[in-house]
Amino acid sequence: MLSLLRDSIRLNVRNGTKYINPLPITHYPMKQLTLISRAALHGNRTAIISREGEFTYRQLLERSAKAAACLLEGKDELQEARVAFLVPSGFDYVATQWGVWRAGGIAVPLCVSHPPPELAYVIDDAQATIIVCHPKFASKLQPIAKTRGVRFISTKHLYDATETVLPQVDPQRRAMMIYTSGTTGKPKGVVITHNNIEAQVMSLISAWEWTSEDHILLMLPLHHIHGIINVLTCALWAGAICQMRHKFDAYEVWDRFIADNLTLFMAVPTIYVKLIATWKAASPNQRKVMSDACSKLRMMVSGSAALPVSVLEKWKKISGHILLERYGMTEIGMGLSNPFHGKRVPGHVGTPLPGVEARLVDEEGNVTSGDEPGEIQIKGPGVFLEYWQRVDATQNAFCDGWFCTGDMAVIENGTYRIFGRKSTDIIKTGGYKVSGLEIKEVLHTHSAIEECAVVGVKDSIWGECVAVALVLAPGTELTLEQLRNWGKQRLAIYKVPSKMITVKELPRNAMGKVIKPEVVKLMSATD
Ligand code: AMP
């Protein structure tokens, strides 16, 4: 399949649509990771623009080689050691990530906004033996490294080592672990190989016609597939420019649209909602400048959560762009997409991307024609290898070699429309997928909380927000503000409930299980 994708890219070159590869892919050295050998071909072109400055592909190769030498510490290779790293979005992030890959390790990106208990969970679960950390996060991670005897490297010293011969890394090996919430509570490490990354990237480069002339703005978090694969790795694979910002700021995005020559933009629906609000708050003159700036871009993409049709329409009026909505998941990369050329159907997520096979399956396990809702199942070279050290969870996630996504969809006029998730335990808020079970576990450690049920409720800005129904311990009181202040010390901010009700008892079925839809109704009744 990969060779097919390669052929299609070469075809684009032959048809003269745009320059993609200076050399046919088959000419790249076989033993070097493709991402790295491709970078060598783009030498003096700009790879990254970030707060640290502007960097070429050559500089990225030099620094990542030094980072690899530092990680290796004289060893031949890391042999899939897990290297957890907490580095803000920017050049050092990429030099670290590439350094881990070039040294033969598994990159475990940590989330910059996570509090220490969540970081410690990932470090322990991944059994990380090295932590790379930007000085600004040292106070969070140094104590964790110390108590566990894990090697701690500050990015200040990442490039101190002298370059050494780097190992040849087999592309079938594990490359990265991204932590994602599942139905079983705590996040699981989704392991993807170098081959998985290549397949995911080649699919998007082919479908969305990435070229080395592209310039993308990246302000998505870099512990999630959207930012890491769809934006950063696709850009660097294509020889394009990736402009990296620490975090999303609507004004900053508009400034970049206006001042820079961006060609691509990718974001979650919530970001488009915020960009629309900023545009609305501007003066008529400013609005015109903002709208005109959008015409420089060749494509704008939305994904990671359902894009409301109303948002698509508002954005079209403002920017002239019909957002390209796609569907994907940490475990599969991107699966379905509206077309780059051709009709994009609002409210739909399109058809399988190159290299991806998709089918819908009913409750009895029969493949359906798509008229009735069925579970989306996915097969292809981009599908992940395993959940880290969770053999059962990995096995249960597959059916006859197909990955069971847990998302329901129908096919209308040949394109997929997402129905929702099979499990009510996953809440999708602002593009983040969070586990209600995990939040519940933490809330249960609060002395005033006797029982609780965590649900996602519809929210016009965040898609869904985390809501909680509480049964309080007798004689205690708790306000939402108090709960949030307490929660922020223990949970990532987007997991902290933003809606709360107190009830005498939770609605339960005969088996004693909480009836989640009833809880959602109770929450809505108090709005
Ligand atoms: P994550 O693994 O965090 O990327 O989350 C993947 C989940 O996000 C999928 O299983 C879907 O439930 C949801 N998702 C991603 N893209 C879309 C979309 N375009 N429309 C609706 N849900 C989506």
Side-chain angles (χ1 to χ4, degrees), residues 97-147:
Q97 183 195 48
W98 284 29
V100 176
W101 287 342
R102 298 181 77 182
I106 303 179
V108 186
L110 299 171
C111 172
V112 292
S113 62
H114 277 182
E118 295 215 25
L119 298 171
Y121 168 80
V122 173
I123 288 164
D124 288 342
D125 189 77
Q127 296 147 309
T129 50
I130 306 176
I131 293 174
V132 178
C133 181
H134 187 274
K136 89 179 209 194
F137 301 121
S139 63
K140 273 191 187 181
L141 280 191
Q142 224 158 8
I144 295 174
K146 204 168 169 197
T147 50

Side-chain angles (χ1 to χ4, degrees), residues 62 70 137 186 197 221 236 255 302 376 382 408 448 475 481 493 502:
E62 281 164 10
C70 169
F137 301 121
K186 283 283 191 187
I197 293 177
L236 298 179
D255 279 349
S302 173
I376 304 174
M408 305 293 285
E481 198 192 350
I493 184 72
T502 51

Side-chain angles (χ1 to χ4, degrees), residues 178-181 190 224-226 269 302-307 325-334 336 347-349 376 403 405-408 418-421 426 428 431-434:
I178 297 181
Y179 273 78
T180 182
S181 293
V190 175
H224 187 267
I225 185 141
H226 197 164
S302 173
S304 293
L307 173 69
E325 185 173 9
R326 56 71 182 166
Y327 161 87
M329 201 173 180
T330 311
E331 288 87 339
I332 62 165
M334 296 305 111
L336 306 166
H348 288 231
V349 291
I376 304 174
F403 175 70
T405 64
D407 290 309
M408 305 293 285
I418 308 283
F419 247 63
R421 285 176 300 283
I426 301 293
K428 196 80 209 225
Y432 289 107
K433 196 168 66 170
V434 304

